[in-house]
DNA sequence: ATTCTTACA
DNA sequence: TGTAAGGA
């Protein structure tokens, strides 16, 4: 099948599919015309890629993890033992990212609170971008 | 009508 | 990632 049909059947865009190929997540053959030719199993692969992307994994990690995942109906199941390590490591990365965002919010909250102080009323140059 | 590559007010 | 341009 060509890129248009795969995009339709996976709910993605052609742009995304070309990007996945660029990241070596997909390796469609080429027709003499230069058109990409995808196989049936690519439908499932693309769905798995999207799931992993939604889990916050980057394309490099997905490339390592993808071949070790088996699809059980709707769910993705780890098929290799070494996989849990990689996944747990990524979970920690997400936890750190969450911590950083919460810290940023606390800083912003402090600034917002300052808007109610008397000092804020002394300012004449109030032209917010 | 579809797809391809390249590039970015 | 969207999208426009210029070809095949």
């Amino acid at each position: 099948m060509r890129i248009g049909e795969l995009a339709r059947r996976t709910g993605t865009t052609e742009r995304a599919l070309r990007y996945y190929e660029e990241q070596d997540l997909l390796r469609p053959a080429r027709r003499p015309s230069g058109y990409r030719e995808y196989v049936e199993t690519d439908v499932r692969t693309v769905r798995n890629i999207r799931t992993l992307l939604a889990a916050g994994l980057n394309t490099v990690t997905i490339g390592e993890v993808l071949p070790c995942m088996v699809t059980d109906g709707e769910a993705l199941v780890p098929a290799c033992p070494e996989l849990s390590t990689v996944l747990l490591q990524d979970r920690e990365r997400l936890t750190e990212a969450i911590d950083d965002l919460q810290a940023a919010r606390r800083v912003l909250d402090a600034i917002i609170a300052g808007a109610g102080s008397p000092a804020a009323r002394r300012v004449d140059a109030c032209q917010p971008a």
Side-chain angles (χ1 to χ4, degrees), chain A residues 22-62:
Chain A
E22 195 174 62
Q23 301 302 302
D24 284 291
L25 265 27
L26 240 37
R27 8 210 46 182
R30 293 291 183 134
R31 293 186 168 187
S33 61
Y35 286 11
R36 273 165 266 250
E37 182 65 28
Y38 296 93
V39 293
E40 195 57 35
T41 56
D42 286 332
V43 174
R44 176 143 291 175
T45 300
V46 171
R47 289 180 177 150
N48 291 345
I49 289 174
R50 303 214 60 185
T51 297
L52 263 11
L53 241 23
L57 304 192
N58 57 235
T59 56
V60 175
T61 304
I62 293 178

Side-chain angles (χ1 to χ4, degrees), chain A residues 75-87:
Chain A
L76 264 184
V77 183
C80 309
E82 328 84 82
L83 208 53
S84 55
T85 312
V86 181
L87 263 24

Side-chain angles (χ1 to χ4, degrees), chain A residues 86-101:
Chain A
V86 181
L87 263 24
L88 279 173
Q89 192 175 312
D90 244 77
R91 188 179 194 287
E92 289 178 17
R93 185 175 62 71
L94 288 178
T95 299
E96 283 184 30
I98 290 171
D99 290 342
D100 287 346
L101 283 173

